[in-house]
Amino acid sequence: MSKLNKEWIKIALDLTSVISDQDRFDRLLSSIREVLKCDASALLYFQDQQFIPLAINGLYDDVLGRRFDIQQHPRLEAIARAGDVVRFPPDSDLPDPYDGLIPEHEHDLRVHSCIGLPLLINDRLIGAVTIDAFDPKQFDSFRNQDLRVISALAATSLNTALLMEQLENQVGIEASPAASRNKSIVPSEIIGNSEVMQELKSHISAVANTDLSVLIMGETGVGKELVAAALHENSDRVKQNLVYLNCAALPESVAESELFGHVKGAFTGAISNRKGKFELADNGTLFLDEIGELSLALQAKLLRALQYGDIQRVGDDRNIKVNARIVAATNRVMHEEVKAGRFRSDLYHRLSVFPIFVPPLRERAKDITLLSGFFAERCQHKLGVKNIKIDPQTHLILKNHSWQGNVRELEHAINRAAVLARSESRSDVIVLLPKHFSLEEQDNPVIEPSINRPMSAPSNNVTFTPTDLKSATDEFQFNLINQAYIESGNNWAAAARLLKVDAGNLHRLMKRLKMK
């Protein structure tokens, strides 16, 4: 039996083996590299006129965070339209989407061998496999029929994974243990594979297709609006409106009208009847951003709307029935706002039927590489350059920064660095170097906590031997929490109040420090 046939059999067996989808995808690309001796390959999912990387081999890790719009990438567009194997001429003048993204090579891919395999199920495009080699003649000895076998196996593997995820979502069952490591086959705009982000995505999946109110909490810049969009897009209300209202930007004089609408003549300037956000979101989702900024008077009226499902336009005595699912967001510690009398406790409990916490970027350093690739890909089209490569040393610096402004700060840093790099380069592939970033501090390398002793409760005789800033910080936090726990009479809620932190945040920190 030829080596080629053995590899095809191995791939086929992987389709039925009890391994995670990510492992299966990775094995597929490894087999392709073994057989075709290529330098780089990628498995891509096709959605909304863009290709989303699911697995890569021989490419920089940040490629997994990129989203390739086919209108911006002519080679990928050609693959999407072809319906069969695409062999690009070695000297093709179509730019390659991976220019500058293959480690340890300075090739610009102007002359190389490139193959695209569209993945089709019932003549419907679901993805593609791209295969690149620096040798322009690398794939000359392989027949199109051999490549169609790869395409068929890859299409079957991807389609099976998608069908299984769809089935699990429909019947509300948990994925198998092997598949649970790859809960979502298709990445969303919520970029990240870290443990805390997998937990976040799991919470979104659990509550999205319900009518429960959701309160999204997190620091400024973490992406709370993306969570709201994901909740709407994964619900039965997706075909209706997602209506956004920034409560912090509402002048008190027009806030009630913005929420509930008004009738003609209700006040000076009300020249016609106008629907409010609640009516516009009828049968859809109303996203109330910065909910903590609402006045107490308006909070009372909002509470009534949530309790009874009806509203009154300003200047109108009639009640209007509305069916809007409420998703609210805040960067405030809401139980502290309630305690201080700035937010109604009954409204808080009505909104936080299912609270979701979005972690800060400093707690998900593993995601920074993917996010950097995502923002670099988006920025390159705004700047009109062929590609943006992020230097490995730059990736290290980005991982080590504290990111007080979270994901939003990272995006702005990438954009600024790209502008500076373009101004210094004559190439259409620009490289983001450490000098292009003006970060205020560059911390020591990110190292996972060295705390590995499980505990049911803190103990005041635990000691650490920190060897770096990260471990020293963990030691300080551990001891401070431990002391607060003792002083509060072994009461976690009281310890949280003593430390002036949200109880949920304290619980997550203790879990990371292996204190619970």
Side-chain angles (χ1 to χ4, degrees):
M1 182 181 294
S2 70
K3 183 177 180 180
L4 189 63
N5 288 334
K6 288 180 180 179
E7 288 295 334
W8 296 164
I9 292 175
K10 185 173 76 170
I11 295 173
L13 290 174
D14 280 345
L15 294 178
T16 58
S17 61
V18 186
I19 59 176
S20 73
D21 295 305
Q22 192 62 53
D23 289 340
R24 188 175 293 114
F25 297 158
D26 290 338
R27 288 192 191 187
L28 171 70
L29 296 186
S30 295
S31 296
I32 290 174
R33 188 165 192 172
E34 177 67 23
V35 172
L36 302 182
K37 305 299 180 185
C38 59
D39 292 290
S41 61
L43 173 65
L44 312 170
Y45 173 72
F46 186 71
Q47 182 182 56
D48 298 331
Q49 300 301 301
Q50 65 178 2
F51 280 111
I52 303 171
L54 299 181
I56 57 174
N57 190 301
L59 294 164
Y60 278 119
D61 289 342
D62 69 52
V63 172
L64 285 172
R66 297 179 183 243
R67 302 293 181 261
F68 299 107
D69 190 323
I70 63 172
Q71 294 183 351
Q72 305 288 347
H73 294 283
R75 289 201 188 213
L76 295 179
E77 183 176 21
I79 296 171
R81 309 295 186 211
D84 197 5
V85 175
V86 181
R87 292 178 182 260
F88 294 96
D91 58 351
S92 172
D93 58 359
L94 295 179
D96 193 288
Y98 308 128
D99 273 2
L101 301 181
I102 301 179
E104 301 176 3
H105 289 282
E106 298 301 325
H107 296 74
D108 59 9
L109 300 190
R110 281 188 170 81
V111 178
H112 74 297
S113 185
C114 177
I115 290 176
L117 306 177
L119 307 184
L120 303 169
I121 295 294
N122 297 326
D123 295 326
R124 178 175 63 90
L125 181 70
I126 63 170
V129 171
T130 59
I131 309 167
D132 290 274
F134 292 121
D135 183 351
K137 298 181 180 180
Q138 182 63 41
F139 306 133
D140 289 355
S141 62
F142 293 96
R143 302 174 303 161
N144 277 1
Q145 187 57 39
D146 294 326
L147 299 173
R148 292 188 186 105
V149 172
I150 298 177
S151 180
L153 291 171
T156 301
S157 180
L158 177 55
N159 190 55
T160 299
L162 294 170
L163 289 175
M164 288 301 298
E165 182 176 355
Q166 181 181 10
L167 177 62
E168 289 163 358
N169 290 338
Q170 286 177 348
V171 300
I173 62 174
E174 288 294 323
S176 64
S180 64
R181 296 191 300 272
N182 186 42
K183 185 69 177 177
S184 179
I185 304 303
V186 182
S188 67
E189 290 304 292
I190 302 177
I191 307 295
N193 294 324
S194 61
E195 184 177 341
V196 291
M197 290 306 290
Q198 289 176 6
E199 182 180 3
L200 172 63
K201 292 177 182 180
S202 176
H203 289 168
I204 292 173
S205 177
V207 75
N209 203 21
T210 72
D211 284 335
L212 296 179
S213 297
V214 176
L215 179 62
I216 307 170
M217 297 173 288
E219 298 175 9
T220 299
V222 294
K224 296 186 289 293
E225 64 282 356
L226 292 180
V227 174
L231 289 167
H232 178 73
E233 290 166 4
N234 289 277
S235 73
D236 286 339
R237 298 171 179 259
V238 64
K239 294 183 180 179
Q240 305 299 324
N241 291 333
L242 169 62
V243 178
Y244 172 83
L245 179 63
N246 183 353
C247 299
L250 279 179
E252 187 67 27
S253 58
V254 300
E256 186 176 356
S257 174
E258 282 294 316
L259 274 171
F260 308 119
H262 62 254
V263 296
K264 181 179 180 180
F267 50 83
T268 303
I271 60 175
S272 62
N273 293 345
R274 183 175 182 271
K275 291 183 178 181
K277 301 300 185 185
F278 263 93
E279 282 188 82
L280 294 175
D282 191 26
N283 296 318
T285 303
L286 176 57
F287 176 40
L288 300 175
D289 199 7
E290 303 296 350
I291 188 71
E293 304 294 333
L294 283 181
S295 67
L296 286 170
L298 205 55
Q299 289 176 31
K301 295 180 179 180
L302 176 59
L303 178 62
R304 173 183 168 78
L306 296 180
Q307 286 177 327
Y308 300 107
D310 60 40
I311 61 169
Q312 285 184 344
R313 292 180 180 178
V314 177
D316 195 355
D317 294 330
R318 294 172 299 172
N319 290 339
I320 301 173
K321 281 291 182 182
V322 290
N323 176 21
R325 195 247 184 110
I326 303 299
V327 175
T330 182
N331 60 6
R332 295 191 177 190
V333 181
M334 291 304 289
H335 74 268
E336 293 290 345
E337 296 296 300
V338 172
K339 183 178 178 180
R342 291 187 292 268
F343 203 86
R344 295 178 61 108
S345 61
D346 46 5
L347 178 58
Y348 168 61
H349 293 298
R350 176 73 65 169
L351 291 171
S352 61
V353 175
F354 194 98
I356 289 180
F357 178 78
V358 186
L361 188 55
R362 59 184 172 276
E363 291 184 8
R364 42 183 294 225
K366 293 179 180 178
D367 296 331
I368 290 177
T369 296
L370 300 184
L371 287 164
S372 299
F374 176 80
F375 293 132
E377 175 69 23
R378 193 156 68 177
C379 182
Q380 75 186 48
H381 304 306
K382 294 178 182 178
L383 297 183
V385 298
K386 188 176 179 181
N387 216 329
I388 296 178
K389 172 184 175 181
I390 303 176
D391 183 79
Q393 186 62 32
T394 299
H395 273 305
L396 182 61
I397 289 174
L398 296 179
K399 283 185 178 180
N400 295 337
H401 186 62
S402 62
W403 299 114
Q404 296 303 310
N406 293 297
V407 179
R408 189 175 300 153
E409 182 188 356
L410 174 61
E411 179 182 13
H412 294 166
I414 293 290
N415 290 341
R416 180 182 183 278
V419 171
L420 294 175
R422 185 186 63 168
S423 68
E424 298 174 0
S425 175
R426 296 182 179 179
S427 172
D428 51 6
V429 176
I430 63 176
V431 182
L432 304 190
L433 300 172
K435 67 177 183 177
H436 297 131
F437 292 83
S438 57
L439 304 178
E440 291 185 0
E441 81 283 346
Q442 295 174 3
D443 305 331
N444 288 333
V446 175
I447 301 174
E448 291 300 311
S450 58
I451 306 163
N452 53 23
R453 189 167 76 85
M455 303 175 63
S456 57
S459 170
N460 58 3
N461 60 5
V462 176
T463 59
F464 291 83
T465 306
T467 58
D468 51 69
L469 180 60
K470 185 70 164 61
S471 297
T473 302
D474 289 339
E475 176 189 15
F476 176 80
Q477 291 178 324
F478 186 99
N479 292 334
L480 188 63
I481 294 171
N482 179 56
Q483 186 64 33
Y485 177 73
I486 295 171
E487 292 180 6
S488 60
N490 298 341
N491 183 292
W492 292 120
R497 289 193 295 271
L498 185 62
L499 293 169
K500 297 182 179 180
V501 298
D502 179 77
N505 292 350
L506 179 61
H507 175 77
R508 277 181 285 273
L509 177 58
M510 291 166 56
K511 191 173 180 181
R512 182 178 71 79
L513 295 174
K514 303 292 175 38
M515 298 176 73
K516 294 193 74 174

